C-alpha cells in the first residue's frame, strides 16, 4: 500500500479527468488502474468496491470513494482548495456547477455519430460563449483578482481552466472576446503544479478517441446510442 | 426583506424540491416566487440575477445562489446537517450523489414521450431495487444506527426519505424486501420537522402533472 490515492477508471478522460486535474493541481501523486476488460470490471463489482456499481472509484485515506462530485469535494477540502468559510465554499460550488454542466456537454461528444458531433460542437461553443464564459469573465472583471474566489487558488480555478482548454479543443479561438479569461488561462497554466500537469508525460489524458469509446462500451456493455443535446 | 430564504422556481417539484425538503427538515421557514410566464423568466435573466441563466435560484444570506447542489451543500453546512468532519462529509456526499442519480430519473419521467414512459418506469424500478435501495439497506443493517452517517440526522437522511417516497409514488410496494428501509422510512417521517413537511398545507409540492409539464415548456421554450 503506497499511501497514494489510487484511481480506477478507463485509460482516458471521461469523468475521472477532473479528479486527475485536481490531485495534480494540489501536488498530490496518484496511481491509476485502467479498466480494459469486462472481466476486470466484474471483478471490481464482485469484490464490492463499487458502492453504486460505477466508476470513477478512488481509494484514498482508507475509503473507496465513488461519485465524482463527492471525490472532488473531499480532495478540495483536504488540500485547502475549498475556500476559507461556508460562503466561499458556496461560491466555489456554484462556479464548479457551471463548469461541470459545460464539460458535461463535452463528455458525451466522443460517443456521438459524426453528424451529431457537428451539431454538438456548435451547441458546446454556443453555450460556452453565451452562458458560461460571460459569467466567469464578469466575475474576474468585477473583483479584478487573480483567482475566482477569495483571492486564493481554489478548485474553481482548476475546474475552469480544465473547461476552457476542453472547449478550445473544439474551437481554438473560442476565447477571443474574453480578455479576462485569456489572462486567467495564462496565469493558472503557469502555476507550477498545473504547468507540470500540462507537460507531456504527465497523467493528463488525451482527447478521447474511438478506441476509448470502444473500451467503455465493451467494459460497461453500454451499446445504446447516445443523442446530442 | 424578511430575512427568510427566498426560492424562485416553478410551482412544482422539479429541481427545487430537494431544497424545500432540506430547509423544512432544518426547520427553516422560506418564501417562494413562482415562475408562471416566459416574460417573468426573461426579466430575471435581463436583471442579471441568474448566474447561468437558470433556476433554481435561492436568495439566502445576501447571496443569489444557483446550482442545486451548491444550494443544498450550503444549507446542509449552515444547519449542521453535513457531518462532523471531512470524512463524514465525504460519506454524505457519496450517498446524496447516488440518490440524486435516482431522483434524476424521476425528474425526467414527466417529460418522456408517451411511448417511452413504460421503459422509463421500468428503469426507475430496476435502479431503485437493484442499485440504490440495497446499498442503503446494507448501510443501515451494518451499523444498526437510526441515521445513515455518524449516528446523527444529516442531509443524506433527508435526501433518502425524499427519494423513498418519490419512488413509492411510482412503484407502490417497492420497499417490500427492504425491512431496514421500512423502519427507516417510519422513523424519518416521524421526525418533527419532516412530519410537519409531510402534512397538508406545507410547502411540499405534489407529483408533477400535465399542467406542470405545460408550464415548464411554456416558460423555458426557446
Amino acid at each position: 500500500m503506497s499511501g497514494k490515492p489510487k484511481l480506477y477508471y478507463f485509460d482516458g478522460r471521461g469523468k475521472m479527468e477532473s479528479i486527475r486535474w485536481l490531485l495534480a493541481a494540489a501536488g498530490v501523486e496518484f496511481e491509476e488502474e485502467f479498466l480494459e476488460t469486462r472481466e476486470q470490471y466484474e471483478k471490481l463489482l464482485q469484490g464490492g468496491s463499487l458502492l453504486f456499481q460505477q466508476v470513477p472509484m478512488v481509494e484514498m485515506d482508507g475509503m473507496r470513494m465513488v461519485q465524482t462530485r463527492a471525490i472532488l469535494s473531499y480532495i478540495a477540502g483536504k488540500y485547502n482548495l475549498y475556500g476559507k468559510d461556508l460562503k466561499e465554499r458556496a461560491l466555489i460550488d456554484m462556479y464548479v456547477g457551471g463548469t461541470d454542466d459545460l464539460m458535461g456537454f463535452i463528455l458525451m461528444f466522443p460517443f456521438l455519430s459524426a453528424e451529431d458531433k457537428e451539431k454538438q460542437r456548435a451547441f458546446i461553443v454556443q453555450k460556452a460563449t453565451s452562458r458560461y464564459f460571460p459569467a466567469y469573465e464578469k466575475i474576474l472583471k468585477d473583483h479584478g483578482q487573480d483567482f475566482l474566489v477569495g483571492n486564493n487558488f481554489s478548485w474553481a480555478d482548476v475546474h475552469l481552466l480544465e473547461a476552457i482548454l476542453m472547449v478550445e479543443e473544439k474551437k481554438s479561438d473560442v476565447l477571443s472576446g474574453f480578455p479576462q479569461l485569456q489572462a486567467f488561462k495564462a496565469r493558472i497554466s503557469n502555476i507550477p503544479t498545473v504547468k507540470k500537469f500540462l507537460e507531456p508525460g504527465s497523467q493528463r489524458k488525451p482527447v478521447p478517441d474511438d478506441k476509448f469509446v470502444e473500451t467503455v462500451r465493451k467494459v460497461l456493455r453500454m451499446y445504446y446510442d447516445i443523442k446530442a443535446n | 426583506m424578511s430575512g427568510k430564504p427566498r426560492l424562485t422556481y416553478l410551482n412544482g417539484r422539479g429541481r427545487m424540491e430537494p431544497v424545500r425538503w432540506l430547509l423544512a427538515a432544518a426547520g427553516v421557514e422560506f418564501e417562494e416566487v413562482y415562475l408562471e410566464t416566459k416574460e417573468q423568466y426573461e426579466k430575471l435573466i435581463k436583471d442579471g440575477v441568474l448566474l447561468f441563466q437558470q433556476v433554481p435560484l435561492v436568495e439566502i444570506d445576501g447571496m443569489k445562489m444557483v446550482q442545486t447542489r451548491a444550494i443544498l451543500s450550503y444549507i446542509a453546512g449552515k444547519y449542521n446537517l453535513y457531518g462532523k468532519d471531512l470524512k463524514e462529509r465525504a460519506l454524505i456526499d457519496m450517498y446524496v450523489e447516488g440518490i440524486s442519480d435516482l431522483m434524476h430519473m424521476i425528474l425526467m419521467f414527466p417529460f418522456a414521450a408517451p411511448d417511452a414512459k413504460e421503459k422509463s418506469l421500468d428503469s426507475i424500478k430496476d435502479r431503485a431495487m437493484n442499485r440504490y435501495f440495497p446499498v442503503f439497506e446494507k448501510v443501515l443493517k451494518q451499523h444498526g444506527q437510526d441515521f445513515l452517517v455518524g449516528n446523527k440526522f444529516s442531509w443524506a437522511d433527508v435526501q433518502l426519505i425524499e427519494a423513498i417516497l418519490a419512488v413509492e409514488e411510482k412503484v407502490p410496494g417497492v420497499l417490500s424486501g427492504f425491512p431496514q428501509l421500512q423502519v427507516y422510512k417510519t422513523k424519518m417521517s416521524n421526525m418533527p420537522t419532516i412530519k410537519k413537511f409531510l402534512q397538508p398545507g406545507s410547502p411540499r409540492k405534489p407529483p408533477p402533472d400535465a399542467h406542470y409539464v405545460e408550464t415548464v415548456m411554456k416558460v423555458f421554450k426557446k
Side-chain angles (χ1 to χ4, degrees):
Chain A
M1 238 291 256
S2 69
K4 291 183 194 169
K6 191 167 173 186
L7 280 48
Y8 293 77
Y9 200 66
F10 311 100
D11 185 4
R13 289 184 183 177
K15 286 185 186 274
M16 188 62 98
E17 193 70 355
S18 296
I19 292 168
R20 298 181 183 108
W21 267 91
L22 191 56
L23 284 169
V28 178
E29 281 181 29
F30 55 91
E31 295 174 349
E32 301 197 69
E33 187 164 308
F34 298 126
L35 289 186
E36 272 144 12
T37 67
R38 176 77 188 172
E39 291 67 40
Q40 266 177 289
Y41 174 58
E42 284 181 350
K43 187 154 178 257
L44 276 178
L45 283 175
Q46 275 145 31
S49 39
L50 304 180
L51 186 65
F52 301 116
Q53 304 154 3
Q54 299 164 314
V55 286
M57 191 270 277
V58 175
E59 280 173 356
M60 82 186 280
D61 298 340
M63 297 182 287
R64 288 198 169 95
M65 290 200 69
V66 297
Q67 292 292 334
T68 313
R69 191 58 82 83
I71 296 164
L72 289 165
S73 290
Y74 179 75
I75 296 165
K78 182 175 178 183
Y79 295 102
N80 292 310
L81 294 167
Y82 219 164
K84 71 178 198 299
D85 58 26
L86 218 56
K87 280 199 170 181
E88 285 194 355
R89 209 167 86 195
L91 283 178
I92 290 167
D93 280 339
M94 272 198 283
Y95 300 164
V96 160
T99 38
D100 202 42
D101 285 347
L102 177 56
M103 287 199 276
F105 304 136
I106 302 176
L107 192 74
M108 53 148 89
F109 189 85
F111 295 86
L112 300 174
S113 67
E115 189 195 325
D116 278 355
K117 274 187 167 115
E118 281 322 296
K119 264 197 234 156
Q120 189 73 355
R121 185 189 307 270
F123 178 84
I124 290 163
V125 170
Q126 194 261 335
K127 282 282 182 272
T129 54
S130 65
R131 174 172 289 185
Y132 296 102
F133 289 173
Y136 299 106
E137 180 80 6
K138 180 172 195 284
I139 288 162
L140 291 166
K141 186 157 198 239
D142 282 351
H143 63 44
Q145 292 165 4
D146 283 356
F147 305 107
L148 283 170
V149 179
N151 211 8
N152 235 316
F153 184 51
S154 80
W155 172 22
D157 301 302
V158 182
H159 216 244
L160 177 56
L161 178 61
E162 181 187 2
I164 285 171
L165 296 181
M166 282 182 80
V167 179
E168 279 188 327
E169 281 166 351
K170 297 276 167 278
K171 187 170 193 281
S172 58
D173 63 349
V174 74
L175 279 195
S176 66
F178 298 103
Q180 297 283 334
L181 289 180
Q182 290 173 38
F184 175 86
K185 174 190 162 187
R187 268 196 315 272
I188 307 302
S189 301
N190 275 308
I191 290 174
T193 50
V194 177
K195 189 171 187 175
K196 191 168 169 211
F197 188 64
L198 291 172
E199 277 160 7
S202 82
Q203 283 160 297
R204 188 182 182 210
K205 302 293 174 272
V207 179
D209 57 12
D210 287 339
K211 178 161 183 278
F212 172 76
V213 171
E214 220 179 278
T215 308
V216 173
R217 284 197 185 281
K218 180 180 71 173
V219 171
L220 297 183
R221 293 202 178 137
M222 197 177 84
Y223 294 111
Y224 51 83
D225 288 334
I226 299 196
K227 292 192 185 64
N229 278 102
Chain B
M1 236 299 254
S2 71
K4 291 183 196 171
R6 190 159 79 165
L7 281 49
T8 300
Y9 199 68
L10 300 118
N11 186 2
R13 289 184 182 178
R15 292 181 186 277
M16 189 63 99
E17 196 71 352
V19 177
R20 297 181 183 108
W21 268 91
L22 192 57
L23 284 168
V28 178
E29 280 181 29
F30 54 91
E31 296 172 349
E32 301 201 65
V33 170
Y34 299 125
L35 290 185
E36 270 143 12
T37 67
K38 194 164 193 276
E39 291 65 41
Q40 265 177 292
Y41 174 52
E42 284 174 346
K43 181 167 190 295
L44 280 176
I45 294 178
K46 202 149 147 258
D47 291 347
V49 301
L50 302 180
L51 183 63
F52 303 118
Q53 302 154 0
Q54 298 164 316
V55 286
L57 165 71
V58 174
E59 292 166 85
I60 180 170
D61 298 340
M63 297 183 288
K64 289 183 166 66
M65 289 201 71
V66 297
Q67 290 288 325
T68 314
R69 228 189 244 104
I71 295 163
L72 291 166
S73 290
Y74 180 74
I75 295 166
K78 181 176 178 182
Y79 294 102
N80 291 310
L81 295 168
Y82 220 164
K84 70 180 199 298
D85 57 27
L86 216 56
K87 281 200 172 182
E88 283 194 355
R89 208 167 86 196
L91 278 179
I92 290 167
D93 278 340
M94 276 196 275
Y95 297 163
V96 158
E97 288 297 299
I99 297 163
S100 180
D101 284 349
L102 177 60
M103 291 295 282
H104 185 80
M105 298 171 82
I106 297 176
L107 183 79
M108 293 288 120
F109 180 82
F111 301 92
D115 58 358
K117 280 210 157 71
E118 197 184 326
K119 189 160 177 238
S120 180
L121 194 57
D122 284 343
S123 289
I124 291 167
K125 183 176 178 185
D126 174 58
R127 281 290 147 90
M129 292 180 65
N130 295 314
R131 177 172 287 187
Y132 297 106
F133 288 176
V135 168
F136 300 109
E137 180 78 7
K138 185 177 179 203
V139 167
L140 291 167
K141 186 157 199 232
Q142 283 191 333
H143 62 42
Q145 293 165 3
D146 284 354
F147 306 106
L148 284 172
V149 177
N151 210 8
K152 194 163 180 273
F153 185 55
S154 78
W155 174 20
D157 299 299
V158 183
Q159 192 69 86
L160 182 55
I161 182 70
E162 179 190 3
I164 286 171
L165 296 180
V167 177
E168 276 188 328
E169 278 169 354
K170 297 242 158 323
V171 188
V174 70
L175 282 195
S176 66
F178 299 103
Q180 298 280 335
L181 289 180
Q182 289 172 38
V183 170
Y184 177 85
K185 175 191 163 188
T186 306
K187 279 200 191 123
M188 293 305 119
S189 304
N190 278 309
M191 295 198 58
T193 50
I194 293 184
K195 189 170 186 171
K196 189 170 171 211
F197 187 66
L198 291 173
Q199 278 158 2
S202 83
R204 188 182 184 211
K205 302 294 174 270
D209 57 12
H211 174 71
Y212 172 75
V213 171
E214 223 175 273
T215 311
V216 170
M217 300 301 201
K218 183 177 68 169
V219 170
F220 297 117
K221 81 166 187 302
K222 297 273 171 283

PDB file of all heavy atoms in Angstrom, chain B residues 193-218:
ATOM      1  N   THR B 193     -39.779  17.965  12.233  1.00  0.00           N
ATOM      2  CA  THR B 193     -39.796  18.904  11.106  1.00  0.00           C
ATOM      3  C   THR B 193     -40.255  18.207   9.822  1.00  0.00           C
ATOM      4  O   THR B 193     -40.948  18.796   8.991  1.00  0.00           O
ATOM      5  CB  THR B 193     -38.399  19.529  10.858  1.00  0.00           C
ATOM      6  OG1 THR B 193     -37.418  18.475  10.802  1.00  0.00           O
ATOM      7  CG2 THR B 193     -38.031  20.512  11.962  1.00  0.00           C
ATOM      8  N   ILE B 194     -39.873  16.935   9.683  1.00  0.00           N
ATOM      9  CA  ILE B 194     -40.274  16.205   8.484  1.00  0.00           C
ATOM     10  C   ILE B 194     -41.760  15.879   8.546  1.00  0.00           C
ATOM     11  O   ILE B 194     -42.490  16.006   7.547  1.00  0.00           O
ATOM     12  CB  ILE B 194     -39.415  14.938   8.303  1.00  0.00           C
ATOM     13  CG1 ILE B 194     -37.972  15.365   7.991  1.00  0.00           C
ATOM     14  CG2 ILE B 194     -39.978  14.038   7.213  1.00  0.00           C
ATOM     15  CD1 ILE B 194     -37.017  14.235   7.703  1.00  0.00           C
ATOM     16  N   LYS B 195     -42.217  15.486   9.715  1.00  0.00           N
ATOM     17  CA  LYS B 195     -43.640  15.185   9.896  1.00  0.00           C
ATOM     18  C   LYS B 195     -44.482  16.383   9.480  1.00  0.00           C
ATOM     19  O   LYS B 195     -45.468  16.253   8.753  1.00  0.00           O
ATOM     20  CB  LYS B 195     -43.892  14.841  11.364  1.00  0.00           C
ATOM     21  CG  LYS B 195     -45.285  14.309  11.625  1.00  0.00           C
ATOM     22  CD  LYS B 195     -45.388  13.749  13.047  1.00  0.00           C
ATOM     23  CE  LYS B 195     -46.742  13.079  13.253  1.00  0.00           C
ATOM     24  NZ  LYS B 195     -46.804  12.351  14.520  1.00  0.00           N
ATOM     25  N   LYS B 196     -44.027  17.565   9.891  1.00  0.00           N
ATOM     26  CA  LYS B 196     -44.749  18.802   9.561  1.00  0.00           C
ATOM     27  C   LYS B 196     -44.763  19.021   8.048  1.00  0.00           C
ATOM     28  O   LYS B 196     -45.785  19.386   7.476  1.00  0.00           O
ATOM     29  CB  LYS B 196     -44.055  19.966  10.276  1.00  0.00           C
ATOM     30  CG  LYS B 196     -44.807  21.277  10.214  1.00  0.00           C
ATOM     31  CD  LYS B 196     -44.180  22.312  11.152  1.00  0.00           C
ATOM     32  CE  LYS B 196     -44.825  23.681  10.885  1.00  0.00           C
ATOM     33  NZ  LYS B 196     -43.897  24.782  11.141  1.00  0.00           N
ATOM     34  N   PHE B 197     -43.613  18.739   7.411  1.00  0.00           N
ATOM     35  CA  PHE B 197     -43.495  18.949   5.970  1.00  0.00           C
ATOM     36  C   PHE B 197     -44.390  17.983   5.199  1.00  0.00           C
ATOM     37  O   PHE B 197     -44.845  18.288   4.092  1.00  0.00           O
ATOM     38  CB  PHE B 197     -42.026  18.794   5.544  1.00  0.00           C
ATOM     39  CG  PHE B 197     -41.732  19.149   4.122  1.00  0.00           C
ATOM     40  CD1 PHE B 197     -41.870  20.451   3.665  1.00  0.00           C
ATOM     41  CD2 PHE B 197     -41.298  18.180   3.223  1.00  0.00           C
ATOM     42  CE1 PHE B 197     -41.582  20.787   2.336  1.00  0.00           C
ATOM     43  CE2 PHE B 197     -41.013  18.509   1.887  1.00  0.00           C
ATOM     44  CZ  PHE B 197     -41.157  19.808   1.452  1.00  0.00           C
ATOM     45  N   LEU B 198     -44.649  16.811   5.801  1.00  0.00           N
ATOM     46  CA  LEU B 198     -45.468  15.803   5.124  1.00  0.00           C
ATOM     47  C   LEU B 198     -46.966  16.035   5.309  1.00  0.00           C
ATOM     48  O   LEU B 198     -47.781  15.327   4.718  1.00  0.00           O
ATOM     49  CB  LEU B 198     -45.086  14.403   5.616  1.00  0.00           C
ATOM     50  CG  LEU B 198     -43.699  13.933   5.176  1.00  0.00           C
ATOM     51  CD1 LEU B 198     -43.328  12.604   5.840  1.00  0.00           C
ATOM     52  CD2 LEU B 198     -43.620  13.788   3.665  1.00  0.00           C
ATOM     53  N   GLN B 199     -47.312  17.038   6.113  1.00  0.00           N
ATOM     54  CA  GLN B 199     -48.731  17.314   6.315  1.00  0.00           C
ATOM     55  C   GLN B 199     -49.281  18.248   5.260  1.00  0.00           C
ATOM     56  O   GLN B 199     -48.538  19.065   4.680  1.00  0.00           O
ATOM     57  CB  GLN B 199     -48.953  17.920   7.710  1.00  0.00           C
ATOM     58  CG  GLN B 199     -49.012  16.853   8.791  1.00  0.00           C
ATOM     59  CD  GLN B 199     -48.710  17.403  10.161  1.00  0.00           C
ATOM     60  OE1 GLN B 199     -48.490  18.602  10.331  1.00  0.00           O
ATOM     61  NE2 GLN B 199     -48.685  16.530  11.148  1.00  0.00           N
ATOM     62  N   PRO B 200     -50.594  18.177   4.986  1.00  0.00           N
ATOM     63  CA  PRO B 200     -51.190  19.088   4.007  1.00  0.00           C
ATOM     64  C   PRO B 200     -50.975  20.535   4.441  1.00  0.00           C
ATOM     65  O   PRO B 200     -50.935  20.833   5.630  1.00  0.00           O
ATOM     66  CB  PRO B 200     -52.692  18.751   4.055  1.00  0.00           C
ATOM     67  CG  PRO B 200     -52.794  17.443   4.719  1.00  0.00           C
ATOM     68  CD  PRO B 200     -51.587  17.269   5.593  1.00  0.00           C
ATOM     69  N   GLY B 201     -50.800  21.404   3.448  1.00  0.00           N
ATOM     70  CA  GLY B 201     -50.601  22.821   3.753  1.00  0.00           C
ATOM     71  C   GLY B 201     -49.153  23.214   3.868  1.00  0.00           C
ATOM     72  O   GLY B 201     -48.821  24.390   3.993  1.00  0.00           O
ATOM     73  N   SER B 202     -48.236  22.233   3.805  1.00  0.00           N
ATOM     74  CA  SER B 202     -46.810  22.557   3.867  1.00  0.00           C
ATOM     75  C   SER B 202     -46.334  23.010   2.484  1.00  0.00           C
ATOM     76  O   SER B 202     -47.074  22.887   1.508  1.00  0.00           O
ATOM     77  CB  SER B 202     -46.014  21.323   4.291  1.00  0.00           C
ATOM     78  OG  SER B 202     -45.758  20.505   3.161  1.00  0.00           O
ATOM     79  N   PRO B 203     -45.082  23.509   2.389  1.00  0.00           N
ATOM     80  CA  PRO B 203     -44.583  23.921   1.065  1.00  0.00           C
ATOM     81  C   PRO B 203     -44.272  22.754   0.121  1.00  0.00           C
ATOM     82  O   PRO B 203     -43.860  22.977  -1.015  1.00  0.00           O
ATOM     83  CB  PRO B 203     -43.297  24.697   1.391  1.00  0.00           C
ATOM     84  CG  PRO B 203     -43.330  24.969   2.845  1.00  0.00           C
ATOM     85  CD  PRO B 203     -44.149  23.896   3.465  1.00  0.00           C
ATOM     86  N   ARG B 204     -44.429  21.537   0.591  1.00  0.00           N
ATOM     87  CA  ARG B 204     -44.159  20.370  -0.257  1.00  0.00           C
ATOM     88  C   ARG B 204     -45.065  20.412  -1.477  1.00  0.00           C
ATOM     89  O   ARG B 204     -46.255  20.739  -1.377  1.00  0.00           O
ATOM     90  CB  ARG B 204     -44.399  19.075   0.517  1.00  0.00           C
ATOM     91  CG  ARG B 204     -43.954  17.843  -0.259  1.00  0.00           C
ATOM     92  CD  ARG B 204     -44.241  16.569   0.493  1.00  0.00           C
ATOM     93  NE  ARG B 204     -43.711  15.417  -0.224  1.00  0.00           N
ATOM     94  CZ  ARG B 204     -44.256  14.205  -0.197  1.00  0.00           C
ATOM     95  NH1 ARG B 204     -45.341  13.989   0.508  1.00  0.00           N
ATOM     96  NH2 ARG B 204     -43.725  13.218  -0.876  1.00  0.00           N
ATOM     97  N   LYS B 205     -44.515  20.110  -2.635  1.00  0.00           N
ATOM     98  CA  LYS B 205     -45.290  20.169  -3.863  1.00  0.00           C
ATOM     99  C   LYS B 205     -45.789  18.778  -4.255  1.00  0.00           C
ATOM    100  O   LYS B 205     -45.162  17.761  -3.922  1.00  0.00           O
ATOM    101  CB  LYS B 205     -44.452  20.762  -5.019  1.00  0.00           C
ATOM    102  CG  LYS B 205     -43.903  22.167  -4.730  1.00  0.00           C
ATOM    103  CD  LYS B 205     -45.000  23.212  -4.619  1.00  0.00           C
ATOM    104  CE  LYS B 205     -44.470  24.572  -4.200  1.00  0.00           C
ATOM    105  NZ  LYS B 205     -44.454  24.778  -2.731  1.00  0.00           N
ATOM    106  N   PRO B 206     -46.956  18.708  -4.950  1.00  0.00           N
ATOM    107  CA  PRO B 206     -47.497  17.419  -5.382  1.00  0.00           C
ATOM    108  C   PRO B 206     -46.702  16.860  -6.562  1.00  0.00           C
ATOM    109  O   PRO B 206     -45.896  17.577  -7.163  1.00  0.00           O
ATOM    110  CB  PRO B 206     -48.912  17.787  -5.823  1.00  0.00           C
ATOM    111  CG  PRO B 206     -48.836  19.217  -6.235  1.00  0.00           C
ATOM    112  CD  PRO B 206     -47.786  19.854  -5.369  1.00  0.00           C
ATOM    113  N   PRO B 207     -46.924  15.584  -6.898  1.00  0.00           N
ATOM    114  CA  PRO B 207     -46.244  14.999  -8.056  1.00  0.00           C
ATOM    115  C   PRO B 207     -46.566  15.812  -9.312  1.00  0.00           C
ATOM    116  O   PRO B 207     -47.677  16.348  -9.439  1.00  0.00           O
ATOM    117  CB  PRO B 207     -46.830  13.595  -8.159  1.00  0.00           C
ATOM    118  CG  PRO B 207     -47.448  13.319  -6.845  1.00  0.00           C
ATOM    119  CD  PRO B 207     -47.837  14.635  -6.259  1.00  0.00           C
ATOM    120  N   PRO B 208     -45.617  15.932 -10.225  1.00  0.00           N
ATOM    121  CA  PRO B 208     -45.852  16.740 -11.426  1.00  0.00           C
ATOM    122  C   PRO B 208     -46.983  16.183 -12.283  1.00  0.00           C
ATOM    123  O   PRO B 208     -47.064  14.989 -12.508  1.00  0.00           O
ATOM    124  CB  PRO B 208     -44.520  16.648 -12.176  1.00  0.00           C
ATOM    125  CG  PRO B 208     -43.781  15.522 -11.570  1.00  0.00           C
ATOM    126  CD  PRO B 208     -44.278  15.337 -10.201  1.00  0.00           C
ATOM    127  N   ASP B 209     -47.839  17.074 -12.761  1.00  0.00           N
ATOM    128  CA  ASP B 209     -48.948  16.673 -13.619  1.00  0.00           C
ATOM    129  C   ASP B 209     -48.796  17.336 -14.988  1.00  0.00           C
ATOM    130  O   ASP B 209     -47.807  18.026 -15.247  1.00  0.00           O
ATOM    131  CB  ASP B 209     -50.291  17.053 -12.970  1.00  0.00           C
ATOM    132  CG  ASP B 209     -50.406  18.532 -12.661  1.00  0.00           C
ATOM    133  OD1 ASP B 209     -49.553  19.322 -13.150  1.00  0.00           O
ATOM    134  OD2 ASP B 209     -51.336  18.918 -11.929  1.00  0.00           O
ATOM    135  N   ALA B 210     -49.812  17.152 -15.834  1.00  0.00           N
ATOM    136  CA  ALA B 210     -49.736  17.696 -17.195  1.00  0.00           C
ATOM    137  C   ALA B 210     -49.608  19.214 -17.183  1.00  0.00           C
ATOM    138  O   ALA B 210     -48.888  19.804 -17.998  1.00  0.00           O
ATOM    139  CB  ALA B 210     -50.970  17.267 -17.987  1.00  0.00           C
ATOM    140  N   HIS B 211     -50.282  19.859 -16.238  1.00  0.00           N
ATOM    141  CA  HIS B 211     -50.237  21.319 -16.155  1.00  0.00           C
ATOM    142  C   HIS B 211     -48.828  21.792 -15.841  1.00  0.00           C
ATOM    143  O   HIS B 211     -48.334  22.783 -16.402  1.00  0.00           O
ATOM    144  CB  HIS B 211     -51.222  21.819 -15.081  1.00  0.00           C
ATOM    145  CG  HIS B 211     -51.131  23.291 -14.821  1.00  0.00           C
ATOM    146  ND1 HIS B 211     -51.559  24.244 -15.725  1.00  0.00           N
ATOM    147  CD2 HIS B 211     -50.620  23.987 -13.770  1.00  0.00           C
ATOM    148  CE1 HIS B 211     -51.324  25.465 -15.237  1.00  0.00           C
ATOM    149  NE2 HIS B 211     -50.762  25.334 -14.055  1.00  0.00           N
ATOM    150  N   TYR B 212     -48.141  21.052 -14.957  1.00  0.00           N
ATOM    151  CA  TYR B 212     -46.771  21.412 -14.606  1.00  0.00           C
ATOM    152  C   TYR B 212     -45.865  21.288 -15.833  1.00  0.00           C
ATOM    153  O   TYR B 212     -45.071  22.185 -16.132  1.00  0.00           O
ATOM    154  CB  TYR B 212     -46.253  20.514 -13.464  1.00  0.00           C
ATOM    155  CG  TYR B 212     -44.784  20.692 -13.180  1.00  0.00           C
ATOM    156  CD1 TYR B 212     -44.327  21.821 -12.499  1.00  0.00           C
ATOM    157  CD2 TYR B 212     -43.849  19.749 -13.608  1.00  0.00           C
ATOM    158  CE1 TYR B 212     -42.970  22.006 -12.254  1.00  0.00           C
ATOM    159  CE2 TYR B 212     -42.494  19.924 -13.366  1.00  0.00           C
ATOM    160  CZ  TYR B 212     -42.068  21.056 -12.694  1.00  0.00           C
ATOM    161  OH  TYR B 212     -40.726  21.237 -12.458  1.00  0.00           O
ATOM    162  N   VAL B 213     -46.002  20.176 -16.553  1.00  0.00           N
ATOM    163  CA  VAL B 213     -45.167  19.959 -17.745  1.00  0.00           C
ATOM    164  C   VAL B 213     -45.399  21.072 -18.759  1.00  0.00           C
ATOM    165  O   VAL B 213     -44.470  21.637 -19.340  1.00  0.00           O
ATOM    166  CB  VAL B 213     -45.476  18.582 -18.380  1.00  0.00           C
ATOM    167  CG1 VAL B 213     -44.786  18.441 -19.717  1.00  0.00           C
ATOM    168  CG2 VAL B 213     -45.074  17.460 -17.440  1.00  0.00           C
ATOM    169  N   GLU B 214     -46.684  21.424 -18.912  1.00  0.00           N
ATOM    170  CA  GLU B 214     -47.065  22.505 -19.823  1.00  0.00           C
ATOM    171  C   GLU B 214     -46.384  23.811 -19.439  1.00  0.00           C
ATOM    172  O   GLU B 214     -45.884  24.550 -20.296  1.00  0.00           O
ATOM    173  CB  GLU B 214     -48.578  22.713 -19.658  1.00  0.00           C
ATOM    174  CG  GLU B 214     -49.370  22.898 -20.916  1.00  0.00           C
ATOM    175  CD  GLU B 214     -50.846  22.969 -20.534  1.00  0.00           C
ATOM    176  OE1 GLU B 214     -51.478  21.890 -20.442  1.00  0.00           O
ATOM    177  OE2 GLU B 214     -51.332  24.094 -20.286  1.00  0.00           O
ATOM    178  N   THR B 215     -46.393  24.122 -18.140  1.00  0.00           N
ATOM    179  CA  THR B 215     -45.797  25.372 -17.658  1.00  0.00           C
ATOM    180  C   THR B 215     -44.299  25.384 -17.918  1.00  0.00           C
ATOM    181  O   THR B 215     -43.745  26.407 -18.353  1.00  0.00           O
ATOM    182  CB  THR B 215     -46.073  25.582 -16.150  1.00  0.00           C
ATOM    183  OG1 THR B 215     -47.450  25.376 -15.903  1.00  0.00           O
ATOM    184  CG2 THR B 215     -45.677  26.981 -15.705  1.00  0.00           C
ATOM    185  N   VAL B 216     -43.641  24.255 -17.657  1.00  0.00           N
ATOM    186  CA  VAL B 216     -42.191  24.161 -17.918  1.00  0.00           C
ATOM    187  C   VAL B 216     -41.908  24.467 -19.377  1.00  0.00           C
ATOM    188  O   VAL B 216     -41.027  25.276 -19.698  1.00  0.00           O
ATOM    189  CB  VAL B 216     -41.670  22.746 -17.566  1.00  0.00           C
ATOM    190  CG1 VAL B 216     -40.239  22.570 -18.056  1.00  0.00           C
ATOM    191  CG2 VAL B 216     -41.753  22.508 -16.075  1.00  0.00           C
ATOM    192  N   MET B 217     -42.665  23.827 -20.262  1.00  0.00           N
ATOM    193  CA  MET B 217     -42.449  24.037 -21.703  1.00  0.00           C
ATOM    194  C   MET B 217     -42.651  25.498 -22.068  1.00  0.00           C
ATOM    195  O   MET B 217     -41.885  26.082 -22.831  1.00  0.00           O
ATOM    196  CB  MET B 217     -43.416  23.168 -22.518  1.00  0.00           C
ATOM    197  CG  MET B 217     -43.288  21.678 -22.278  1.00  0.00           C
ATOM    198  SD  MET B 217     -41.653  21.069 -22.647  1.00  0.00           S
ATOM    199  CE  MET B 217     -41.983  19.358 -22.886  1.00  0.00           C
ATOM    200  N   LYS B 218     -43.692  26.093 -21.504  1.00  0.00           N
ATOM    201  CA  LYS B 218     -44.049  27.468 -21.833  1.00  0.00           C
ATOM    202  C   LYS B 218     -42.974  28.447 -21.349  1.00  0.00           C
ATOM    203  O   LYS B 218     -42.537  29.323 -22.089  1.00  0.00           O
ATOM    204  CB  LYS B 218     -45.407  27.799 -21.183  1.00  0.00           C
ATOM    205  CG  LYS B 218     -45.932  29.196 -21.525  1.00  0.00           C
ATOM    206  CD  LYS B 218     -47.322  29.436 -20.915  1.00  0.00           C
ATOM    207  CE  LYS B 218     -47.273  29.507 -19.403  1.00  0.00           C
ATOM    208  NZ  LYS B 218     -48.549  29.998 -18.810  1.00  0.00           N
TER     209      LYS B 218
END
